[in-house]
Amino acid sequence: MINDSTILTAAEIVTQIKERTISAVEVTEAHLERSEKVGEVLNSWIRLDSEGALKAAQEVDAAIARGEDPGPLAGAPIGLKDLIDMKGLPTTAGSIIDKNNVADSDALLARKIRRAGGVILGKLNLHEFAFGPTGHNPHYGDQKNPWDTERVTGGSSGGSGNSVATGQVSIAIGSDTGGSIRIPASLCGVVGHKPTHGLVTKSNCAPLSWSLDSFGPLARSARDCALMMSAIAGHDPADASSIACDPPGFMGGLSKPIEEFRVGHAREYYEQRSEPPVAEAVNHLAKTLQEMGAEVVDVEIPDVETAFHAAAVLMVAEAATVHEKNIRDNAQDFDPAVLERIRPGFFISATSYIQALRFREQWTKRICREVFGGVDLVLAAATPIPAALRSQASGTVRGKEVEIRTLMISLTRLWNFLGGPSTAFPSGMSEEGLPLGAQIMGAPFADHHTLSFVHQLEQRGVVKVEKPPI
Amino acid sequence: MPISDDSLKSRCENVFGDSLDPERRSLLIATVENMEKGHPLLRERLSPQTEPAGHAGFLRSLAREK
């Protein structure tokens, strides 16, 4: 048994709690202590719910004492991005406008985690209204990168990324509209899974852009992401975008050997859009996969620029619709940078929005046919550069200067438009000692395959989640 | 379709309660026009029978096939 439970994965914690070598209360206390200490430095939390967490942990221990199974997440410390309702606590969405917006019930997502025995420690910090890929927040503090606190975590799920990387929680729930799970996972050096659109409930979770939003886990292993997906995936009749289907077998699917995957290497997609060390790490991984016996072939993703344009139109138009009332009533309380990002949404023509929706179906069908007709998964970089400085307004890729927010989402946004799953994972470290990230992308409902791919690489020591110095 | 400065100014006043200075208005017009650039590309690529909500329907059909 290891004394410091904050360095354990959720799966290891659950095993030890069920074997009664450690109690859920002890695990919760250790994680709360770390959250108070490290979370303060990294601006990880908007609100810790110590009382609620300890009560939930006591219930897990009591169930075990009675000989009952408290569930697959028994005693695992979990953080929720503050878009998700928890009964009795405000859901701020990272804004001061909603700071008194107390939820009168748990979102189904939170209920599912509790039912599985997970202990929710509180609400994690984020980019205001989840509308930004860096983790800046003027109200609750910029989320800071655990590898260098002068740098961004990536966003919008920045508190989810830095809390998982530093052992404040074993799993965090984030949301991903243009990369908001995968970007912080990549920049903080952890695993992040953006599920198939409609696979995880969004009821009573604050939206950014309905047709692109997905909620999913960040963790220190693909197994932990699969464990969480097993608990939260499934149909929710109250969520209009929820899909009525049996979710894939996430845990069972982890055993698929790497040799059985046909991997498309989307070299053309990411090479010119990322800095050389990022691209080299993915190219090296592709070679390693071949040496391990996987079939790796170059693939081209068709019509990338058009899809990117259409995704941008959907995102800003829907975000403007979501926030119109708030803007009319409280424009002065918005982060000015977020307000300026929403503003173009009020000027997109109705025909542009509808054409983007129409194109989306056609393009998705084409990707399923032309790309996934030949390969199981597609490998690419997740973020084009390692974590930027928090003061940085732009970044350089292949000699071209690009505005930082546009740059950060340049490799992730496409899969929100597709609606497919994508798992981001560490692919190495930069010369400055910052994590580099790759992603493995699947066809809709191939979530178990993207997670299995990363799990298999972890098992073979090819993918490693390192511990940051803090 | 190009947005006139007057119409942008009036819509900003209506929704945001501000009219923006001329420099920020021209930046906003450039941003919107850049986003709308994709419009003719989309139009060319679409078949007439493609429905706007087809993506959700397609995902549901994939779920049924599983």
Side-chain angles (χ1 to χ4, degrees), chain A residues 122-265:
Chain A
K123 314 292 281 298
L124 291 159
N125 198 358
L126 65 153
H127 208 115
E128 188 184 62
F129 293 120
F131 204 173
T134 55
H136 287 94
N137 189 310
H139 316 299
Y140 302 99
D142 295 346
Q143 297 115 72
K144 295 178 185 172
N145 193 296
W147 294 89
D148 176 351
T149 54
E150 292 303 311
R151 294 179 184 270
V152 299
T153 49
S156 61
S157 313
S160 304
N162 70 14
S163 63
V164 165
T166 53
Q168 300 176 60
V169 292
S170 56
I171 309 176
I173 299 294
S175 67
D176 193 314
T177 306
S180 288
I181 288 173
R182 290 162 289 160
I183 296 166
S186 171
L187 302 188
C188 294
V190 298
V191 181
H193 180 68
K194 182 207 97 64
T196 295
H197 184 75
L199 200 54
V200 174
T201 168
K202 295 184 293 186
S203 293
N204 296 93
C205 299
L208 170 58
S209 166
W210 306 283
S211 73
L212 300 168
D213 296 340
S214 289
F215 285 75
L218 294 92
R220 293 195 297 281
S221 74
R223 177 186 285 276
D224 279 2
C225 286
L227 193 61
M228 179 54 82
M229 284 301 295
S230 302
I232 62 176
H235 183 228
D236 172 10
D239 171 3
S241 66
S242 178
I243 293 178
C245 67
D246 292 328
F250 297 102
M251 297 307 285
L254 291 178
S255 57
K256 181 167 171 154
I258 209 84
E259 297 83 355
E260 289 182 13
F261 285 111
R262 285 172 302 160
V263 181
H265 184 196

